[in-house]
Amino acid sequence: MQEKVTGMVLSGAPVGEYDKRLVILTKERGKISAFARGARRPKSSLMAASEPFTFGEFTVYRGRDSYTISSVEVANYFSELRDELEDIYMGMYFCEVADYFTRENLDSRDVLKLLYQSLRALKVPSLNRKLVRLIYEFKMIALNGEAPRLFACVGCGQKEELFYFHKKDACILCGNCYKNAPYNGTGAIQVSGTTTYILQRILASSVEKLYTFSVKEKVQEELEHVVGQYFQARVNKEFPSSTFLSQIDDSIIK
């Protein structure tokens, strides 16, 4: 029985001489595996549609353990990302993270929407790639139900002067509560009020409004510290594309 699903190709791997096995994040079925028969043949209608970042409507029929693709109506190839190596690997990283957080038959429409908007944001001239990555990672954690408590001090409940992010307890603290038991001035990252506001904004914003701001260098450095540690603490995996992006950063610094 055939059905139509809307989704994006996260990855593809060769199977046999001419086929590919795709991982597709769909709005209707969550993450699925699907075979694209003959996709590696030079004149195959599925050749371009089986590449990562391809977004559209996939006509599939279901087998015992996987799907097989009959046809694809492509809405966006994100071809503009393929012009720069860093964009390609950042996009691949976004797909790897989405793959990590999603499962078959679980509602993944918000993750799909986040992935789509994040890929678009990579080509917005006013947005720094690293900022896009930080927003993506922090929002992904939130969509997974692991958002930290950031809108009031976890100790006293005040909503101003929240300058201490506690990674282990996933919360924000004012100066007084951070100095007293049980924290006693340890275990937190000190941040500016602006950084706290940006973190709150990421959590509170809809996906459509995530990429509507930029930040100063100092704030981005603080975001890298907070989001980097928080994301790493909750994701027990090394992503290949992230390693390559780190190598690019190292080569630029040298």
Side-chain angles (χ1 to χ4, degrees), residues 7-10 25 51-55 76-82 86-96 98 111-124 127 129 132-133 136 207 211:
M8 181 179 293
V9 177
L10 300 182
L25 181 60
E51 293 297 315
F53 319 145
T54 299
F55 178 83
N76 195 340
Y77 286 108
F78 286 95
S79 55
E80 66 275 11
L81 296 181
R82 307 174 197 277
E86 189 172 357
D87 284 337
I88 293 174
Y89 276 89
M90 190 69 80
M92 291 174 61
Y93 172 70
F94 289 173
C95 288
E96 288 172 3
V111 174
L112 178 60
K113 190 185 299 183
L114 175 61
L115 176 59
Y116 186 91
Q117 295 294 344
S118 301
L119 291 176
R120 289 184 60 191
L122 288 176
K123 300 308 292 185
V124 175
L127 288 176
R129 285 190 189 96
V132 174
R133 173 176 176 168
Y136 178 78
V207 172
Y211 300 107

Side-chain angles (χ1 to χ4, degrees), residues 148-203:
R149 295 164 289 174
L150 294 182
F151 294 93
C153 173
V154 74
C156 66
Q158 79 172 45
K159 297 183 179 180
E160 305 294 333
E161 299 182 342
L162 306 174
F163 300 139
Y164 296 90
F165 178 82
H166 202 277
K167 176 185 68 175
K168 182 179 178 181
D169 288 355
C171 65
I172 201 80
L173 295 156
C174 70
N176 288 333
C177 290
Y178 178 55
K179 292 174 184 176
N180 297 326
Y183 302 102
N184 299 320
T186 61
I189 302 170
Q190 186 171 2
V191 296
S192 65
T194 301
T195 298
T196 298
Y197 166 74
I198 293 298
L199 292 170
Q200 292 172 339
R201 180 171 178 173
I202 295 170
L203 294 185

Side-chain angles (χ1 to χ4, degrees), residues 212-231:
T212 56
F213 64 89
S214 57
V215 299
K216 293 183 178 179
E217 184 176 351
K218 176 63 176 177
V219 173
Q220 181 163 318
E221 289 175 358
E222 291 183 352
L223 287 172
E224 288 179 21
H225 199 191
V226 170
V227 175
Q229 289 197 22
Y230 194 68
F231 187 82

Side-chain angles (χ1 to χ4, degrees), residues 64-79:
R64 181 178 300 177
D65 300 316
S66 64
Y67 293 83
T68 298
I69 300 170
S70 299
S71 61
V72 185
E73 293 183 22
V74 177
N76 195 340
Y77 286 108
F78 286 95
S79 55

Side-chain angles (χ1 to χ4, degrees), residues 84-87 90 128-130 243-254:
E84 295 187 50
L85 191 61
E86 189 172 357
D87 284 337
M90 190 69 80
N128 181 290
R129 285 190 189 96
K130 288 185 179 180
T243 301
F244 186 85
L245 289 168
S246 297
Q247 293 172 352
I248 292 178
D249 288 341
D250 290 342
S251 66
I252 291 174
I253 293 173
K254 291 177 183 179

